[in-house]
Amino acid sequence: MDYPITHWARIGSVVRESRRSVGMTQEVLAEQAGVSRGWLVRLERGLDNPEAAPLMRVLRALDIELVARPVHRTEEQLVDEAFLTEILGDD
C-alpha cells in the first residue's frame, strides 16, 4: 500500500501505524533501528523534522521503502501505472 507523504508529520503516522500493524513496541523498534525511544516518540507524533539516517533505519526495520515520484504525472505515466496495478495488484 502506498502512503503519500505531503509533510513530515505524515511520516510519523505511517511509522506508528506500520509498527502497530506488525505488533511491535516502540522499545523494540527503537532498539532495532538504533534510535532512542524518545526520538521515535517525537517522530511518531510529528514533532520534529527527522534526520535522514535514523529515519531510514526506522523505515528499514519496518520493511518500508521510501519512494519519491512526481506528483503530477503525464497521461502516459498514469496509464502505465494503472496497467501495472491491474497486473500486479496494489501491494
Side-chain angles (χ1 to χ4, degrees):
M1 173 175 275
D2 288 344
Y3 303 98
I5 305 297
T6 55
H7 49 82
W8 286 116
R10 179 70 176 127
I11 290 177
S13 64
V14 168
V15 167
R16 181 181 55 249
E17 294 307 314
S18 297
R19 176 183 59 75
R20 288 177 176 169
S21 74
V22 296
M24 190 181 294
T25 65
Q26 288 177 328
E27 292 82 6
V28 169
L29 177 55
E31 183 177 320
Q32 286 185 5
V35 299
S36 71
R37 182 174 175 272
W39 188 92
L40 183 59
V41 167
R42 289 189 305 278
L43 172 69
E44 288 188 358
R45 291 183 181 168
L47 300 177
D48 291 334
N49 291 339
E51 297 173 24
L55 173 61
M56 295 308 293
R57 291 193 307 264
V58 166
L59 295 177
R60 199 172 313 118
L62 290 169
D63 200 30
I64 295 175
E65 176 182 38
L66 185 61
V67 177
R69 67 172 163 234
V71 174
H72 304 288
R73 294 181 288 285
T74 66
E75 184 65 31
E76 182 179 345
Q77 289 170 320
L78 292 171
V79 168
D80 289 345
E81 288 175 17
F83 177 73
L84 288 174
T85 299
E86 184 177 322
I87 291 174
L88 302 174
D90 289 344
D91 302 47

